[in-house]
Amino acid sequence: MSDTPQTPPQTPLGALVMGGQGQTDAERVGDGIFMVKDISNAYLVTTGDGDLLVNTGFLGNGARNKGLFAPHRSGPLRRIIVTQAHADHYGALPDQMEAGTQVIVGSGFGETVDYFERLAPFLGRRSGKLWASMTRRDGPPPKPPVIVPDVEVATSLAFAQGGRAFEVIKTPGGESLDSVFVWMPQEKTVFTGNLFGPVWRAMPNLVTMRGDKPRMARAYLRSVEQVRTLGAELVITGHGDPIRGADNIRADLDAMHVAVSYLERETIAGMNAGRTVQELMREIALPDALKIGEFHGKTSWVVRAIWEENGGWFHYADGTTALYGVPRSAVSGDLVELAGGAGAIVGRAHGHVAAGRPLEALHLLDIALDVVPDHEAGMSVRKAALGQLLAASGSTNLSETMWLKAEIAETEKRLASPTDKGEG
């Protein structure tokens, strides 16, 4: 990764994640409901008997968020509800807590936190490559605070506070297995957090590039159905502005449900017909009338997630070697030798780039650079191939964009200070 922080791309998701920069006051988004924009937003709900928070914001932002809410506070902070066990939703919680504040989470919160703690080095390296510049840091994320919840909701929890009714409802899906949403039936308002991902009316990211426990397609669909039955007139998500109007909300939820249902149906049909996962990733596309945004998840990634959710990790097309611990790269040296040196393979890769086939070029470059890691011409062709992929992506999907930018930055760094400018 480049030592210089990358400039975050101006994708719709990127703009939402960075939307809190420069915010000087909490924004009123409903009757007695205020929003502070953060990596994931925090929300204050005032009542006749003190206040309530839905999520708190990211690590290190607690004092800032508390200060932005301060002018709108109406009394003691009675409750904090965390919609999922990702640190961007609860990282600022300790700074918000007051004496007697009750912390409410979904069942499985502790299990999800434990998962991230056990895999912290692995996930931190991967997350750092993708998101360091988005969270305005360099390197792995800081350690999240230890949260000891007072209540874990297994199905639903209804309560009244200061004349306002609340229901915390456990969902079957979401970005984490402990996800809940918060329903205010009198106001027809629902806080979904990132239940449907960070961008509303967009493709879910069922298996993230940084790593995480997979989110199941059927669980996602049941979650859409669960929220759809509410008849909400105001949806408040984890990012961006609320969605208003019962008809608009219903239409958006229908679109999300239809899109993922279509992909599940087509993927399973392709599996039954004997198609490989790569074939289905290339071939399955949403009809224009069913398309939704692809800012965090992508159609091809959802296809792969559904294939592997139902078919497992072993792909018959990969053959016998996939059953064992010797990777294809183990024979890179043989292939380079048979080709007459890394230069011959790099030359063929250059031809693919010139013909607009960057993925074929990268397959070949993986072989050549396995053997001669700092082959100058190979690194130059690699940078060109990655640049073609970035240009073709339109920088619409944030995960894809940040990955390609990180790969280009790494290539540039290796070009600037190679240890062996081999031409083998």
Side-chain angles (χ1 to χ4, degrees):
M1 187 174 187
S2 172
D3 291 332
T4 303
Q6 305 163 44
T7 301
Q10 290 306 304
T11 66
L13 176 53
L16 290 178
V17 169
M18 307 299 285
Q21 290 186 331
Q23 187 177 10
T24 59
D25 189 14
E27 179 181 342
R28 184 183 182 276
V29 294
D31 183 16
I33 303 174
F34 300 88
M35 172 177 67
V36 165
K37 295 180 179 179
D38 202 338
I39 302 300
S40 285
N41 297 341
Y43 297 96
L44 169 72
V45 182
T46 61
T47 80
D49 179 28
D51 299 332
L52 175 151
L53 286 180
V54 179
N55 296 327
T56 65
F58 195 47
L59 296 125
N61 293 343
R64 169 212 180 244
N65 296 350
K66 186 174 183 178
L68 292 175
F69 281 136
H72 309 285
R73 292 291 304 277
S74 66
L77 184 63
R78 301 296 188 193
R79 294 176 172 88
I80 297 175
I81 303 170
V82 179
T83 60
Q84 67 187 70
H86 285 176
D88 53 332
H89 295 261
Y90 73 84
L93 189 148
D95 291 323
Q96 310 272 20
M97 283 284 289
E98 298 175 1
T101 301
Q102 184 183 60
V103 177
I104 301 172
V105 302
S107 63
F109 181 90
E111 180 184 351
T112 303
V113 169
D114 180 65
Y115 166 80
F116 281 101
E117 288 180 350
R118 286 186 291 112
L119 276 81
F122 171 80
L123 295 173
R125 289 191 300 269
R126 294 161 68 99
S127 181
K129 178 170 181 173
L130 289 166
W131 308 120
S133 63
M134 298 300 298
T135 52
R136 298 177 290 283
R137 58 177 169 77
D138 193 12
K143 187 174 177 62
V146 176
I147 303 300
V148 181
D150 298 291
V151 179
E152 292 197 16
V153 178
T155 53
S156 64
L157 172 69
F159 61 88
Q161 180 178 320
R164 308 189 87 158
F166 299 86
E167 296 177 26
V168 181
I169 300 173
K170 182 73 176 64
T171 69
E175 282 199 346
S176 63
L177 301 180
D178 62 295
S179 292
V180 298
F181 63 82
V182 183
W183 172 233
M184 298 178 67
Q186 295 166 336
E187 293 84 355
K188 296 284 187 181
T189 295
V190 60
F191 296 82
T192 60
N194 281 14
L195 176 58
F196 305 123
V199 183
W200 179 255
R201 202 180 186 278
M203 194 66 66
N205 202 2
L206 297 176
V207 180
T208 65
M209 290 171 62
R210 69 148 191 278
D212 202 342
K213 290 191 174 181
R215 304 135 188 192
M216 304 293 106
R218 287 289 176 95
Y220 169 87
L221 293 171
R222 289 196 300 271
S223 298
V224 174
E225 293 161 6
Q226 198 175 36
V227 173
R228 189 168 57 183
T229 62
L230 300 174
E233 297 175 2
L234 179 65
V235 171
I236 299 175
T237 70
H239 299 276
D241 295 326
I243 300 88
R244 302 179 187 276
D247 291 342
N248 290 334
I249 292 166
R250 174 67 189 227
D252 287 348
L253 290 168
D254 286 347
M256 292 150 63
H257 194 281
V258 168
V260 174
S261 296
Y262 179 92
L263 295 181
E264 184 190 42
R265 184 171 60 252
E266 291 298 306
T267 301
I268 289 176
M271 294 171 70
N272 286 333
R275 309 292 282 172
T276 69
V277 65
Q278 289 86 2
E279 287 172 333
L280 296 179
M281 289 176 71
R282 294 195 305 270
E283 295 168 5
I284 294 177
L286 285 170
D288 288 343
L290 302 186
K291 287 183 177 178
I292 56 178
E294 297 194 354
F295 311 117
H296 191 39
K298 290 186 67 174
T299 293
S300 59
W301 301 351
V302 170
V303 168
R304 181 163 195 149
I306 293 169
W307 201 108
E308 295 187 350
E309 174 187 341
N310 290 279
W313 60 267
F314 182 57
H315 300 220
Y316 279 28
D318 293 340
T320 301
T321 57
L323 294 172
Y324 302 95
V326 178
R328 193 277 314 146
S329 59
V331 298
S332 290
D334 298 293
L335 295 173
V336 168
E337 182 180 350
L338 289 168
I345 295 178
V346 169
R348 181 63 62 91
H350 181 270
H352 281 303
V353 169
R357 296 188 294 268
L359 292 171
E360 287 83 348
L362 289 172
H363 278 306
L364 289 173
L365 292 167
D366 285 344
I367 296 169
L369 295 174
D370 273 347
V371 179
V372 187
D374 296 300
H375 192 289
E376 186 173 19
M379 298 303 292
S380 295
V381 177
R382 185 175 190 268
K383 179 181 175 183
L386 292 166
Q388 285 187 356
L389 289 174
L390 181 60
S393 76
S395 295
T396 299
N397 182 279
L398 186 58
S399 296
E400 179 183 24
T401 300
M402 295 304 283
W403 172 266
L404 292 172
K405 280 180 171 285
E407 288 284 279
I408 290 169
E410 288 179 3
T411 305
E412 290 174 339
K413 184 176 181 179
R414 290 164 64 182
L415 274 169
S417 56
T419 58
D420 176 18
K421 293 189 178 183
E423 299 294 337

